[in-house]
Amino acid sequence: MRQETPQHVQHQHRQLDHNRGRIVASIAATLIALACGTNYVYSAWAPQFAERLKLSSTESNLIGLAGNLGQYTLGVPIGMFVDHRGSRPAVLGGAVLLALGYFPLHQAYDRASGSVPFLFLFSYLSGLGGCMAFSAAVKTSALNWPQRRGTATAFPLAAFGLSAFFFSTMGSLFFPGDPSAFLMLLAWGTCGLTFGGFFFLKVHPHSTSDYHAVSSSDSNPHPRDSSQLTRTMSIEEPKHFRSAHADPGTSSNSARHSTNSSESNPVIMTTSVSAPPPAPASSSTSVHVSNRDYPSDPTAVPGIPSEPVSGPVVADEIPEDTETSETSSLMARPTSLIGDASFFGNHIDIDRSHRTDIRGFRLLRSLGFWQLFTIMGVLAGVGIMTINNIGNDAKALWIHFDPEVNNEFLIKQQQMHVSVLSLCSFLGRLSSGVGSDFLVKRLDASRLWCLVVASLGFFVAQVFALNIRSPYYLGIVSGLSGVSYGFLFGVYPSIVAETFGINGLSQNWGFMTMSPILSSNIFNLLYGTVYDRHSIVEKNGERSCHDGLDCYRAAYIYTLIACVTGLGVTLWVIRRQHQEYLREMNKGDEED
């Protein structure tokens, strides 16, 4: 039986500490994300806010759009900031901006006055703050759990979708019918949750040992027959294999000390691997491997050197207790055991996202980027229109159904629909994250099939929105829109990471989230124009529409067409990727 050494026991304890830290960081990321999706609760207070400040439906939609623009327009520079400076500064900045956004909106409601450009700016700041903190939360989750990235990112993504439900429920329980108190809740709640999560959101290093431990068989009478794999520093290897940039709060030691100590005192790690007795000439030979030393083995994995048949592979090593940067914890390192298929089935370095790094101008020149950009823009725009206007839908149907309905009842109905939409978005995000992992790992299918589900869900939701005249059935539209929107956003970060690489995830995701800017503007302004066309101005200056479904029906005709477009593009992309896969397989067979 294999006897555990003190170093092995220490390694296990260190791994347990890191796992606990990752769990705490995941909880912190989820709570931060819960504070970042409050733009989607806009429908719960927008109608009353517009009435008190005498705003038209178009002006109200512009203010709501500002929050969405804050989420999307600066996603690229924020992503670059998170990729290069770490997650925690972005979380702190997000907490400040959320407070700067919601407190002035609360004061504007109390004073019953406010300039539309300034209201637009404050709403934009609230969206920008949410974007900063949310980008940091998702990146940290992806880095801490690289082997279960879809599931790990599903929790903050789901919490982002649950944000509207959480805050609307808190508002209806503690401040029923009081938009002023609800805006104060948004200001304190979003800032407090984000600032509190700042102290626990950390990236914890992964084991840098790239060897697959195989215990010696009890029946093996010659333990010395097992070849020993030795790892030392190779100065010819890429710099990112040997050094790490510090991310504030990732661990206790400095990266500089780590690099210096590794270069001056190489760490020797051994592990027993059952193998035939090596030849005497090679049993004591160390083979240094660099990027230029990779053999032309057609079966070798790109970026990973093949191991000699006999004799150890010498590669770099970074002590596990050293400072680890956000990207270095996921960088593919040269590894041994190339011939072990089961090892590759579970090793994170074989994940394409760790061997691919497409970002910046290379990303913009990629056809795959524009395909995903188009799908996201079309489908997200459809969802955002319903999210921002479900309160107006409910108000129009109820006023037409019962002209005597009071304002307090309308507020409760609007908050209920926001809660349904948010809860279903949460379920959709969680399901698509976990479900996409199941598709890839168990069915060998593409994550893009989750986008097909989202497209079909949006399509059915638009059909119901075009035909439902009773307010009692409007929940079908809210629920389907929420699930579809959640499916869309729950799987997209994983698709982006797998397609373009994990190391540039934040900035690439920032590019991707710019896609709904045009579509959401078009659909929301279209909705506002249609609604205003059917509205009348009351004696007190407030606007209202008494035409029921006709108040907004025309807007959903255009979103229905958009859903068909999104579904068609998604199926085309899946077919194209499948053809590329078949070509690669045929090419590999010909080379063999």
Side-chain angles (χ1 to χ4, degrees):
M1 248 178 108
R2 178 172 143 188
Q3 188 173 9
E4 293 188 351
T5 64
Q7 291 84 355
H8 182 69
V9 173
Q10 184 181 10
H11 169 79
Q12 288 183 324
H13 289 164
R14 197 157 49 231
Q15 282 300 101
L16 288 174
D17 290 339
H18 287 322
N19 283 334
R20 281 193 291 266
R22 293 184 194 109
I23 293 172
V24 171
S26 295
I27 295 173
T30 303
L31 292 177
I32 289 171
L34 191 64
C36 296
T38 50
N39 285 334
Y40 301 128
V41 80
Y42 180 70
S43 290
W45 56 273
Q48 288 69 40
F49 189 84
E51 287 178 4
R52 186 168 174 83
L53 275 69
K54 307 296 189 294
L55 303 174
S56 68
S57 179
T58 301
E59 291 172 332
S60 177
N61 267 280
L62 281 173
I63 295 171
L65 271 176
N68 295 326
L69 290 175
Q71 285 276 356
Y72 305 137
T73 52
L74 294 182
V76 175
I78 288 173
M80 295 174 67
F81 178 82
V82 172
D83 286 338
H84 289 89
R85 302 293 298 176
S87 301
R88 303 183 78 209
V91 172
L92 196 59
V96 174
L97 289 176
L98 284 166
L100 291 176
Y102 280 118
F103 275 115
L105 291 174
H106 161 72
Q107 293 174 343
Y109 184 88
D110 283 349
R111 292 195 305 264
S113 65
S115 169
V116 172
F118 279 106
L119 296 175
F120 184 95
L121 174 62
F122 298 139
S123 181
Y124 182 89
L125 291 178
S126 69
L128 181 60
C131 176
M132 291 183 68
F134 181 62
S135 178
V138 172
K139 180 67 180 284
T140 302
S141 297
L143 290 169
N144 276 330
W145 306 98
Q147 290 179 298
R148 292 291 182 268
R149 191 183 311 113
T151 302
T153 57
F155 284 97
L157 287 165
F160 185 87
L162 193 65
S163 180
F165 170 78
F166 174 77
F167 281 98
S168 63
T169 301
M170 293 296 101
S172 61
L173 288 176
F174 299 106
F175 312 108
D178 189 354
S180 175
F182 183 64
L183 284 168
M184 181 62 76
L185 172 67
L186 289 175
W188 282 109
T190 56
C191 179
L193 281 174
T194 308
F195 184 72
F198 163 80
F199 298 99
F200 304 99
L201 191 73
K202 301 177 183 179
V203 176
H204 295 269
H206 290 265
S207 174
T208 56
S209 175
D210 291 320
Y211 299 115
H212 186 53
V214 180
S215 59
S216 301
S217 174
D218 294 342
S219 61
N220 184 4
H222 305 290
R224 292 179 180 270
D225 289 346
S226 298
S227 62
Q228 299 294 315
L229 301 181
T230 307
R231 308 189 73 210
T232 61
M233 176 66 68
S234 172
I235 60 174
E236 293 182 83
E237 289 174 339
K239 181 178 179 181
H240 59 254
F241 284 168
R242 306 194 306 269
S243 63
H245 299 289
D247 176 42
T250 51
S251 65
S252 58
N253 297 331
S254 67
R256 183 176 300 175
H257 173 73
S258 169
T259 305
N260 293 339
S261 63
S262 296
E263 292 174 352
S264 60
N265 298 304
V267 177
I268 309 297
M269 298 186 65
T270 62
T271 181
S272 296
V273 181
S274 297
S282 62
S283 60
S284 60
T285 303
S286 294
V287 181
H288 286 269
V289 180
S290 72
N291 283 347
R292 298 185 298 273
D293 297 325
Y294 294 170
S296 56
D297 181 4
T299 64
V301 178
I304 300 177
S306 296
E307 181 192 357
V309 176
S310 62
V313 169
V314 179
D316 71 300
E317 181 60 41
I318 301 175
E320 197 172 340
D321 59 350
T322 59
E323 181 93 28
T324 305
S325 76
E326 293 194 351
T327 55
S328 65
S329 65
L330 291 174
M331 292 301 295
R333 290 185 173 89
T335 182
S336 64
L337 301 177
I338 291 298
D340 192 344
S342 63
F343 172 72
F344 286 121
N346 298 315
H347 197 275
I348 63 173
D349 286 351
I350 305 307
D351 186 347
R352 183 178 185 273
S353 66
H354 303 286
R355 296 181 282 107
T356 305
D357 190 6
I358 301 174
R359 63 176 97 178
F361 289 109
R362 289 183 61 208
L363 181 75
L364 298 179
R365 292 194 297 266
S366 169
L367 176 61
F369 165 74
W370 291 110
Q371 291 170 338
L372 295 177
F373 189 88
T374 301
I375 297 170
M376 166 70 90
V378 171
L379 297 181
V382 171
I384 288 172
M385 192 194 80
T386 299
I387 289 170
N388 283 356
N389 292 285
I390 193 66
N392 288 324
D393 291 359
K395 182 180 179 182
L397 293 182
W398 274 110
I399 290 178
H400 181 74
F401 185 81
D402 182 9
E404 303 300 324
V405 67
N406 58 54
N407 196 54
E408 184 177 350
F409 177 81
L410 284 176
I411 293 176
K412 290 181 179 179
Q413 288 298 310
Q414 291 162 353
Q415 289 179 339
M416 183 269 292
H417 283 290
V418 169
S419 298
V420 169
L421 200 152
S422 178
L423 184 60
C424 290
S425 177
F426 163 78
L427 296 174
R429 290 169 189 260
L430 199 61
S431 300
S432 66
V434 178
S436 67
D437 278 348
F438 178 81
L439 284 173
V440 172
K441 296 179 182 299
R442 297 296 181 87
L443 303 180
D444 290 330
S446 172
R447 295 184 196 268
L448 288 171
W449 284 106
C450 288
L451 303 185
V452 173
V453 175
S455 301
L456 292 173
F458 277 127
F459 178 83
V460 176
Q462 308 315 296
V463 171
F464 276 108
L466 286 167
N467 293 280
I468 289 177
R469 295 184 178 273
S470 171
Y472 290 107
Y473 298 106
L474 186 62
I476 298 175
V477 178
S478 305
L480 286 174
S481 297
V483 169
S484 303
Y485 195 77
F487 248 86
L488 176 69
F489 274 87
V491 72
Y492 238 88
S494 294
I495 293 176
V496 172
E498 287 185 351
T499 307
F500 309 114
I502 184 67
N503 298 314
L505 172 60
S506 292
Q507 58 182 286
N508 290 344
W509 177 241
F511 273 112
M512 201 62 65
T513 55
M514 291 178 66
S515 59
I517 293 176
L518 179 61
S519 59
S520 62
N521 270 283
I522 292 173
F523 291 136
N524 275 279
L525 292 177
L526 178 65
Y527 184 99
T529 302
V530 172
Y531 201 93
D532 284 340
R533 190 183 303 151
H534 291 269
S535 299
I536 58 173
V537 180
E538 305 287 353
K539 294 180 180 179
N540 58 2
E542 296 178 359
R543 291 176 175 266
S544 60
C545 181
H546 301 269
D547 296 341
L549 176 61
D550 293 333
C551 292
Y552 56 82
R553 190 175 189 274
Y556 281 96
I557 295 176
Y558 294 98
T559 53
L560 181 68
I561 297 172
C563 289
V564 175
T565 303
L567 177 61
V569 175
T570 303
L571 292 173
W572 172 59
V573 173
I574 292 175
R575 182 174 181 272
R576 180 177 174 274
Q577 287 190 355
H578 182 65
Q579 290 175 338
E580 289 181 352
Y581 172 76
L582 292 178
R583 281 196 296 269
E584 290 177 0
M585 293 293 293
N586 292 333
K587 184 178 179 181
D589 292 340
E590 291 174 0
E591 291 178 353
D592 291 341

